[in-house]
């Protein structure tokens, strides 16, 4: 690879708009593995706007390691065979602003690391996508050592940590604005 | 409801303030403003706190893999999805997906969706009283080639009205969704057509306040891509943000792309 001297300027993003609904969703888009299969959990939550109202036209994508912390390089996310875990899924909210995924608890990608799911949020009225993370609530020691979480004050840090449901699932809400506003990330 | 005049006054005031700021030494903005009130739906949907800088870690430094079992080759032609030919001006839209260092993004998923030639989407929420086209759905997908190239055959979408303000019309556009080699490069955007008279009036296009940045969303008419007696050609390259991953030599040469 030759030396790159000039960086190109990235193309701007734009809102996903209101009409993605017949284009981006596809069969089993939110089922990273079949519901009810061993090790599967439900990840769910609600997307809220700055008035605390559910956002009925948002779409989320998740990308995560498998339960052992391996980063998966398998194709087949769009045409799922029901067996291959690809680590990626897409879930649109319903009228009540609720999204749902069937997935596994992500494993730590290195010993002692805090496991998390990478998330990107799109919505009508949102001018550009937003990145964030969903951390598992369990390992307090790992959470305390996490570089991102430890750079946030406790109130903001909470917005990135999911709640564990009695059935073993995870609940994690997105607040686009205002009280309890989710921490969104800039990687550049 | 506000008039176009009200909206245009807001758009122009923001544009003028930006031009002054740049003149006073502010850096050029390359992305849309999240807080852009002329697009009314954004008012309650933008974060008020600035984005938190983070170094991408582990999973974020990789992208999901898509292959040819995910996308059929025919999905790149939006004009053959039904029994008949769709109405409208047939076009070819082609270009490359590159990362911030100019490296081609090989073997990655590109998705598009668009209105038909009359400016109507096949979507239950589209109330525009323009005709649906039984021969046009307006959804396409492809996987980029080893050189990052993509190519769709479709029809030119029409402009369409929306409810932001009285007499609000979107310039003709095709929605594009792309992945890079790192998940942090994920982008959804819109491609526009050159010379559209609706550009100055549209709060979504104008949410990118910098003219050079806006120009990056406008395709170029390409007569080399135009096919005789068949279709007009438009070229549009997409540049993703820079990759933060340490690349192996094989990856840098494109060997990580889908090789089926
Ligand atoms: Fe549109």
């Amino acid at each position: 690879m030759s030396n790159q001297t000039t960086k190109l300027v990235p193309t701007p993003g734009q809102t996903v708009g209101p009409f993605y609904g017949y284009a981006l969703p596809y069969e089993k888009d939110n089922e990273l593995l079949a519901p009810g299969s061993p090790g599967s959990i439900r990840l769910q939550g609600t997307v809220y706007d700055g008035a605390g109202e559910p956002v009925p036209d948002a779409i989320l994508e998740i990308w995560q390691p498998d339960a052992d912390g391996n980063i998966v390089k398998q194709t087949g996310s769009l045409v799922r065979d029901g067996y291959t875990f690809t680590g990626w899924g897409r879930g649109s909210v319903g009228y009540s602003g609720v999204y749902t995924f069937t997935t596994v608890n992500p494993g730590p990608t290195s010993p002692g690391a805090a496991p998390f799911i990478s998330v990107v949020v799109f919505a009508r009225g949102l001018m550009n996508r937003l990145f964030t993370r969903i951390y598992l609530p369990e390992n307090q020691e790992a959470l305390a050592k996490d570089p991102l979480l430890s750079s946030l004050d406790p109130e903001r840090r909470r917005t990135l940590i999911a709640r564990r449901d009695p059935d073993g699932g995870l609940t994690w809400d997105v607040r686009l604005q205002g009280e309890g506003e989710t921490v969104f990330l800039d990687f550049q | 409801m506000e008039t176009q005049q009200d909206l245009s006054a807001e758009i122009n005031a923001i544009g003028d303030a930006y031009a002054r700021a740049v003149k006073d030494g502010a850096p050029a903005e390359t992305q849309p403003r999240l807080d852009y009130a002329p697009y009314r739906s954004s008012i309650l949907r933008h974060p008020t706190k600035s984005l938190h800088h983070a170094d991408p870690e582990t999973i974020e430094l990789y992208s999901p893999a898509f292959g040819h079992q995910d996308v059929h080759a025919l999905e790149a032609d939006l004009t053959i999805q039904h029994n008949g030919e769709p109405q409208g001006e047939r076009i070819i839209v082609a270009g490359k997906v590159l990362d911030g260092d100019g490296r081609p993004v090989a073997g990655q998923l590109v998705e598009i969706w668009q209105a038909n030639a009359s400016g109507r989407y096949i979507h239950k929420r589209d109330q525009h009283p323009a005709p649906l086209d039984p021969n046009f759905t307006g959804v396409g997908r492809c996987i980029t080639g080893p050189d990052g190239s993509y190519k769709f055959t479709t029809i030119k979408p029409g402009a369409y009205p929306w409810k932001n303000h009285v007499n609000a019309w979107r310039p003709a556009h095709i929605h594009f969704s792309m992945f890079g080699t790192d998940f942090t490069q994920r982008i959804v955007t819109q491609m526009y057509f050159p010379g559209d008279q609706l550009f100055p009036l549209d709060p979504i296009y104008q949410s990118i306040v910098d003219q050079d940045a806006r120009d990056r969303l406008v395709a170029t008419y390409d007569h080399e891509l135009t096919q005789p007696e068949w279709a007009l050609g438009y070229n549009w390259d997409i540049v993703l943000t820079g990759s933060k991953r340490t690349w192996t030599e094989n990856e840098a040469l494109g060997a990580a792309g889908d090789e089926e």
Side-chain angles (χ1 to χ4, degrees):
Chain A
M1 193 72 193
S2 60
N3 289 334
Q4 297 286 344
T5 47
T6 47
K7 288 263 180 192
L8 302 178
V9 182
T11 305
Q14 290 263 269
T15 180
V16 75
F19 300 132
Y20 60 81
Y22 76 100
L24 295 180
Y26 61 91
E27 202 184 339
K28 297 183 186 170
D29 57 1
N30 63 341
E31 296 180 11
L32 284 75
L33 74 185
S37 54
S40 69
I41 60 160
R42 181 178 63 174
L43 163 66
Q44 59 162 6
T46 307
V47 181
Y48 295 100
D49 70 12
E53 296 293 327
V55 172
D57 36 22
I59 181 163
L60 274 66
E61 290 175 356
I62 62 169
W63 169 230
Q64 63 164 92
D66 69 14
D68 298 322
N70 301 308
I71 294 168
V72 177
K73 290 170 184 168
Q74 297 278 354
T75 59
S77 293
L78 291 179
V79 183
R80 297 198 194 275
D81 64 10
Y83 298 94
T84 307
F85 180 80
T86 65
W88 180 80
R90 177 179 278 167
S92 336
V93 300
Y95 291 121
S96 53
V98 175
Y99 73 87
T100 312
F101 289 96
T102 308
T103 187
V104 294
N105 287 309
T109 48
S110 60
F116 68 86
I117 297 171
S118 183
V119 185
V120 57
V121 181
F122 306 95
R124 181 180 70 83
L126 179 59
M127 313 311 289
N128 208 353
R129 82 276 174 272
L130 294 171
F131 294 105
T132 183
R133 291 181 185 176
I134 307 173
Y135 285 87
L136 302 188
E138 278 82 18
N139 188 338
Q140 290 305 319
E141 200 187 331
L143 292 173
K145 280 192 311 200
D146 182 81
L148 170 61
L149 292 179
S150 50
S151 71
L152 295 165
D153 67 50
E155 196 197 335
R156 301 224 68 210
R157 180 181 185 270
R158 262 203 303 271
T159 70
L160 301 184
I161 303 172
R163 294 194 302 276
R164 185 65 71 182
D165 302 325
D167 67 358
L170 294 167
T171 295
W172 178 80
D173 296 332
V174 179
R175 291 176 194 279
L176 292 174
Q177 186 185 90
E179 177 115 15
E181 185 176 299
T182 303
V183 173
F184 298 107
L185 304 174
D186 169 21
F187 293 110
Q188 289 312 301
Chain B
M1 220 151 90
E2 297 112 320
T3 64
Q4 180 71 53
Q5 234 177 351
D6 300 330
L7 257 290
S8 290
E10 282 183 46
I11 288 171
N12 294 338
I14 294 169
D16 291 348
Y18 172 70
R20 279 195 305 275
V22 169
K23 219 170 144 198
D24 293 344
E29 297 183 25
T30 60
Q31 292 292 324
R33 293 211 177 153
L34 293 171
D35 180 4
Y36 194 74
Y39 179 18
R40 298 300 188 222
S41 299
S42 77
I43 292 172
L44 288 171
R45 295 185 175 192
H46 68 86
T48 51
K49 298 190 164 57
S50 52
L51 302 182
H52 187 84
H53 179 79
D55 292 320
E57 293 178 82
T58 63
I59 190 82
E60 291 159 341
L61 294 168
Y62 293 85
S63 256
F66 298 93
H68 289 299
Q69 85 271 31
D70 288 302
V71 179
H72 196 283
L74 296 181
E75 290 184 69
D77 189 341
L78 288 75
T79 67
I80 55 165
Q81 295 172 352
H82 301 274
N83 289 328
E85 291 275 340
Q87 299 285 336
E89 190 179 308
R90 195 181 295 107
I91 59 172
I92 294 163
V93 180
K96 284 184 179 179
V97 184
L98 305 170
D99 76 7
D101 295 312
R103 282 183 294 234
V105 176
Q108 258 303 0
L109 177 66
V110 180
E111 297 164 280
I112 64 168
W113 68 103
Q114 62 166 90
N116 70 20
S118 314
R120 178 85 186 263
Y121 283 92
I122 296 194
H123 189 283
K124 55 187 183 299
R125 278 189 52 190
D126 188 356
Q127 302 296 314
H128 179 30
L132 286 167
D133 183 341
N135 292 319
F136 192 72
T137 305
V139 178
R141 292 190 188 125
C142 74
I143 301 284
T144 55
D147 57 350
S149 61
Y150 75 87
K151 187 176 188 177
F152 290 103
T153 303
T154 183
I155 52 103
K156 191 173 181 205
Y160 61 83
W162 59 310
K163 303 236 183 288
N164 192 66
H165 55 278
V166 176
N167 214 9
W169 288 80
R170 293 298 330 282
H173 59 276
I174 299 177
H175 296 265
F176 268 77
S177 161
M178 276 137 318
F179 292 78
T181 52
D182 305 14
F183 197 56
T184 58
Q185 294 171 304
R186 184 82 180 87
I187 180 174
V188 166
T189 189
Q190 303 180 21
M191 186 210 88
Y192 298 92
F193 292 86
D196 199 312
Q197 301 305 306
L198 293 167
F199 285 154
L201 309 176
D202 177 41
I204 294 182
Y205 172 84
Q206 294 288 336
S207 69
I208 304 155
V209 295
D210 185 88
Q211 186 62 51
D212 290 340
R214 289 198 286 257
D215 287 345
R216 294 185 188 109
L217 293 184
V218 182
T220 308
Y221 173 70
D222 184 348
H223 203 61
E224 293 296 306
L225 199 56
T226 292
Q227 291 186 10
E229 325 284 320
W230 183 247
L232 293 172
Y234 288 91
N235 181 265
W236 187 55
D237 293 339
I238 298 120
V239 178
L240 308 177
T241 57
S243 166
K244 297 291 173 82
R245 200 153 109 213
T246 308
W247 286 60
T248 66
E249 190 156 340
N250 278 349
E251 284 178 307
L253 292 169
D258 180 48
E259 294 186 305
E260 282 173 69

